[in-house]
């Protein structure tokens, strides 16, 4: 079960999430799919009779606190209950969980707790979609290094680099909010907004847990390193 203190340390700071419109980085065919989620939905007749359930693995008392952070950091946006997707009388809602990062921080009570990477359980949404493959085939296969042979007098040095908050930085079109909606509504006044109305949180940045996220993220990053306007070195794709 997640707590606010565990997740907070792994979230991007304010101003980072959703800072890049993903449509500016992907090719036209992928733009078309990202603008209109219905193009990747299965026909209603192929949806499961009952949508899967995804749990919210967080302390109920911490959920409004985390929800406010997700909204403030532009990771999620509010979605009115009236806009939820229903199938056979049940709403399409997703859950959250966490994976430990083997790093520790002090919580509000001075106790050491493990930092958790926030994971979105999108099984209910994934099961009604087809995959957007995008650039999955260009991902490296690290097992290939097992085939390298060295002579006794040779040394092989290699390095890799990871992009912090790689998924969060990309903003998705708002048409996806309906499909990335989380369970457990919150009241507006409990997350720093005016009013008593309840709404759900929906991911507006690229969510880890989406079946198509990896290939789309890879496509966006490959484009990013080719774009001098984003401060890159303009690496040509043939030099990968």
């Amino acid at each position: 079960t997640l707590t606010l203190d565990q997740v907070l340390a792994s979230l991007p700071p304010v101003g980072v999430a959703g800072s890049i419109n993903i449509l500016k980085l992907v090719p036209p065919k992928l733009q078309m799919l990202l603008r209109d989620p219905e193009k990747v939905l299965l026909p209603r007749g192929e949806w499961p009779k009952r949508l899967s359930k995804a749990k919210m693995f967080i302390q109920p008392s911490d959920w409004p606190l985390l929800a406010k952070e997700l909204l403030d950091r532009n990771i999620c946006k509010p979605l009115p209950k009236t806009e939820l997707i229903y199938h056979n009388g049940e709403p399409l809602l997703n859950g959250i969980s966490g994976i430990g990062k083997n790093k520790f921080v002090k919580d509000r009570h001075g106790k050491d707790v493990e930092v958790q990477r926030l994971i979105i359980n999108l099984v209910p949404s994934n099961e009604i979609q087809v995959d957007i493959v995008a650039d999955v085939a260009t991902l490296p296969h690290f097992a290939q290094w097992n085939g390298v042979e060295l002579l006794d007098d040779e040394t092989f040095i290699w390095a890799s680099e990871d992009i912090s908050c790689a998924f969060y930085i990309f903003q998705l079109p708002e048409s996806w909010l309906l499909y990335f909606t989380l369970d457990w509504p919150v009241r507006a006044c409990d997350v720093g907004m005016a009013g008593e109305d309840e709404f759900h949180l929906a991911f507006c940045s690229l969510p880890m847990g989406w079946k198509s996220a990896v290939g789309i993220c890879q496509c966006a990053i490959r484009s990013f390193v080719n774009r001098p306007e984003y401060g890159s070195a303009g690496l040509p794709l043939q030099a990968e």
Side-chain angles (χ1 to χ4, degrees), residues 84-98:
L84 292 177
I85 292 176
Y86 279 83
H87 178 60
N88 291 335
E90 296 181 341
L92 177 63
L93 296 169
N94 303 283
I96 61 173
S97 61

Side-chain angles (χ1 to χ4, degrees), residues 100-111:
K101 299 188 67 173
N102 200 30
K103 297 179 181 179
F104 293 83
V105 294
K106 297 285 186 183
D107 67 8
R108 286 162 287 176
H109 310 291
K111 180 182 177 182

Side-chain angles (χ1 to χ4, degrees), residues 41-173:
L41 291 184
L42 295 170
R44 277 273 182 157
E46 296 181 21
W47 290 18
K49 186 175 181 181
R50 299 190 64 178
L51 297 172
S52 293
K53 300 292 185 182
K55 294 183 178 180
M56 297 283 287
F57 286 99
I58 185 170
Q59 297 286 353
S61 59
D62 273 356
W63 173 231
L65 302 176
L66 177 57
K68 184 178 185 307
E69 294 291 343
L70 296 176
L71 292 168
D72 290 347
R73 295 167 193 251
N74 197 37
I75 296 171
C76 290
K77 290 185 177 180
L79 185 78
K81 289 182 173 182
T82 54
E83 295 186 21
L84 292 177
I85 292 176
Y86 279 83
H87 178 60
N88 291 335
E90 296 181 341
L92 177 63
L93 296 169
N94 303 283
I96 61 173
S97 61
I99 294 178
K101 299 188 67 173
N102 200 30
K103 297 179 181 179
F104 293 83
V105 294
K106 297 285 186 183
D107 67 8
R108 286 162 287 176
H109 310 291
K111 180 182 177 182
D112 288 328
V113 293
E114 185 176 13
V115 175
Q116 297 274 325
R117 178 182 286 110
L118 182 65
I119 300 297
I120 314 306
N121 182 349
L122 289 171
V123 169
S125 183
N126 286 337
E127 66 184 4
I128 64 171
Q129 302 177 38
V130 297
D131 286 324
I132 301 175
V133 177
D135 283 11
V136 168
T138 68
L139 288 166
H141 300 279
F142 289 101
Q144 291 176 334
W145 293 114
N146 293 331
V148 175
E149 295 185 12
L150 299 177
L151 299 177
D152 291 340
D153 61 343
E154 292 180 326
T155 301
F156 179 63
I157 300 174
W158 66 283
S160 64
E161 186 171 325
D162 193 15
I163 298 177
S164 181
C165 306
F167 288 79
Y168 289 121
I169 62 175
F170 298 117
Q171 179 90 33
L172 288 174

